[in-house]
Amino acid sequence: ARQCFRALKLIKGDCLTSLHIARCTSTASVPRITTHYTIHPRDKDKRWEGVNMERFAEEADVVIVGAGPAGLSAAIRLKQLAAKHSKEIRVCLVEKASQIGAHTLSGACLEPRSLEELFPDWKERGAPLNTPVTEDKFGILTKKYRIPVPILPGLPMVNHGNYIVRLGHFVSWLGEQAEALGVEVYPGYAAAEVLFHEDGSVKGIATNDVGIQKDGAPKTTFERGLELHAKVTVFAEGCHGHLAKQLYKKYNLREKCQPQSYGIGLKELWTIDEKKWKPGRVEHTVGWPLDRHTYGGSFLYHLNESEPLVALGFVVGLDYQNPYLNPFREFQRWKHHPSVQPTLEGGTRIAYGARALNEGGFQSIPKLTFPGGLLIGCSPGLMNVPKIKGTHTAMKSGILASEAIFSQLINENLQSKTIGLDVQEYEENLKKSWVWKELYGVRNIRPSCHSILGVYGGMIYTGIFYWILRGKEPWTLKHPG
C-alpha cells in the first residue's frame, strides 16, 4: 500500500509539472484577450496606437436613452408641449434595438390611463389595442388541480377596462407618433457611456464604438461612437440599466431607499387551435410548481389578432431560497399542468423571450433627479408588482418628467447651479400624482409574502388589509434583503 501511495504521488507531481509547462507554452503562443477598454485602457494598449479616437458631437435640448413606453412618452409629451407653446426644442432618442419595439416582449395587459392622457384620440390614431379584457380568472394550482379564487372589485388583479396587447407592436406605434411630431429617433444605437461636465453634472451620452474584434483590437472599419450633449438627459433604460447603475453610485441615489429586488419574467407567444381560443380572457395562477416560499405565478392572455394567439408567461422572484431552482424548467412544468396543457395541445410556439423585473416597489424607489438628468419608467422601478403592470406608470412618469423639463427649458429667468439642469420638480410632481398613490397603496403586498405562509400569507394580507384599508395601514413592511 505504501509503495502504491508513493508511486501515485510521483505520478501526480510529474503530471502537474507537465501541465504547468503546457500552460506556460500556450500562454506564450496565444494573444492576451482584452475584454473591455475599462479593464485594459486603450492608451496603454499598443494595438490602439495611432487610431483616431475623436468623437463627433451633436447638441440637443433633451436626450432620451431607451425607446420603451416611458422614453417614447417623454419624447412625445415634450414635442406636444413645444407645439402648443410655439417653441423649438430638439429631442433626440437613442435605442439599442435595430428598430423601435424589437426588444419589447409581446404579451401584456395594458391599463390605458396614461395613453388617454397622452393621446385622447388614440382609437382614431389606430393604436394597436385590439383586445379589451372580457373575462378575468384567478386560481391556485396544486399538482393536479386548480382551485378557483374570486377576484373581488378593488383588488389589484381586476382587469376590467384594460386591454391585452402585443407590447412590441404598441411601442412601435408610439415610435411612429414620436417621429411624426419631430422627435429624432435613432434605433440601433446603444448608449454606452455617460458624459459629465467639469462641475459634475451630466453632459449627455456617447453611443457605442463599432468595428472592434473579439479580442478588443480595432478593425480597419473602426468608428468612434457619437456624443449627444443635452441640457437634460433622460434615462429610460428599463430594469437594471448599466448607465443607471453608474448614476446610482456617482450621485448616491439609493442612500435613502431599500435595495431593489428582482424577478424574471419568461414569455412565449403561441398559435393555438381556434376551438380553444377565447379572445379577451385573462388567466393568472399562483402555486404549483413553485413552493409557498418562492414568489411567482403565471399568466395566460388570449389575444384578438388576425390568428388565434395566446401570450403566456411565468414570473419567478429572484430571491428564491432553493439554489437548485431553474425558473425556465418550472415554466416548462407549469405548461404541463392539467388546466394549462389542453389549451396548448396542437399549438405552435412562435416567439419567446425573458425580461428582468423590478419587484422592490415603493420601498426601493431611489432619488429620481440629479444635476443634468433624471430617471423614468422601469429604470428606477415604478412597476406595480401585485398588478404585474408597469407600462401605465412608466408612461405617466415620462409625461411628468417632460412637463417639468419643458417648464425649465422655457424659463428665461432660470438660474441653474450647474451646467446640466437639475429638474427636481419632476420628483415633486410624481409624488403628488396617482402613480405615487398607487405604488404606496400596494407597498406591503410583496414583503408580506415573506411570512411563514409565504405567497399564501401575501394573498391573505391582500384579502384582509388591502381590500379593507386600500393601503392606508399605518405601517410599511421592509424587504428581508
Side-chain angles (χ1 to χ4, degrees), residues 126-280:
L129 276 66
N130 306 317
T131 313
V133 175
T134 57
E135 187 182 358
D136 235 340
K137 298 178 74 177
F138 186 78
I140 300 171
L141 299 185
T142 64
K143 192 169 184 178
K144 294 184 179 179
Y145 302 103
R146 177 194 178 106
I147 304 166
V149 177
I151 303 176
L152 301 172
L155 289 177
M157 298 304 290
V158 173
N159 283 294
H160 179 72
N162 296 340
Y163 291 81
I164 303 168
V165 298
R166 295 186 68 174
L167 199 57
H169 291 188
F170 176 65
V171 168
S172 178
W173 176 83
L174 281 177
E176 292 169 8
Q177 307 308 306
E179 288 184 299
L181 287 165
V183 178
E184 296 178 37
V185 180
Y186 298 106
Y189 289 90
E193 185 182 342
V194 184
L195 305 174
F196 298 96
H197 290 290
E198 289 181 4
D199 62 6
S201 61
V202 172
K203 185 179 185 179
I205 57 97
T207 62
N208 53 307
D209 298 339
V210 294
I212 301 173
Q213 296 177 26
K214 287 183 180 180
D215 65 356
K219 296 180 182 178
T220 54
T221 56
F222 172 77
E223 283 186 25
R224 278 291 257 163
L226 171 72
E227 287 192 8
L228 285 169
H229 303 166
K231 297 180 180 74
V232 182
T233 306
V234 179
F235 294 88
E237 293 179 284
C239 177
H240 210 56
H242 76 113
L243 299 185
K245 285 190 284 184
Q246 295 174 33
L247 296 166
Y248 290 149
K249 281 186 178 181
K250 181 171 179 65
Y251 298 109
N252 202 14
L253 301 178
R254 304 205 68 91
E255 182 184 15
K256 296 180 180 178
C257 71
Q258 290 185 37
Q260 187 60 264
S261 64
Y262 299 94
I264 186 162
L266 307 158
K267 283 187 177 183
E268 293 184 351
L269 196 65
W270 284 59
T271 55
I272 60 168
D273 185 345
E274 200 162 347
K275 295 174 185 176
K276 304 169 184 176
W277 183 40
K278 309 289 182 185

Side-chain angles (χ1 to χ4, degrees), residues 64-78 93-96 100-105 107-111 114-115 118-119 129 165-175 177-178 234-239 267 355 376-379 382 389-402:
I64 301 171
V65 179
L72 285 164
S73 297
I76 288 166
R77 191 61 170 160
L78 274 168
L93 187 152
V94 294
E95 165 58 36
K96 67 183 184 296
I100 303 300
H103 283 189
T104 308
L105 295 185
C109 196
L110 177 69
E111 194 171 304
S114 298
L115 176 61
L118 201 61
F119 291 117
L129 276 66
V165 298
R166 295 186 68 174
L167 199 57
H169 291 188
F170 176 65
V171 168
S172 178
W173 176 83
L174 281 177
Q177 307 308 306
V234 179
F235 294 88
E237 293 179 284
C239 177
K267 283 187 177 183
R355 186 189 190 280
I376 63 172
C378 285
S379 187
L382 300 180
K389 291 178 181 63
T391 305
H392 65 300
T393 51
M395 291 177 70
K396 180 62 176 176
S397 71
I399 292 168
L400 290 169
S402 290

Side-chain angles (χ1 to χ4, degrees), residues 49 81 90 117 146 156-157 179 208 235 237 333 440 473:
E49 288 179 3
L81 291 167
R90 187 182 183 193
E117 288 185 34
R146 177 194 178 106
M157 298 304 290
E179 288 184 299
N208 53 307
F235 294 88
E237 293 179 284
R333 291 172 69 198
Y440 181 80
E473 59 266 33

Side-chain angles (χ1 to χ4, degrees), residues 56-72:
F56 182 73
E58 285 273 356
E59 295 288 338
D61 293 296
V62 180
V63 168
I64 301 171
V65 179
L72 285 164

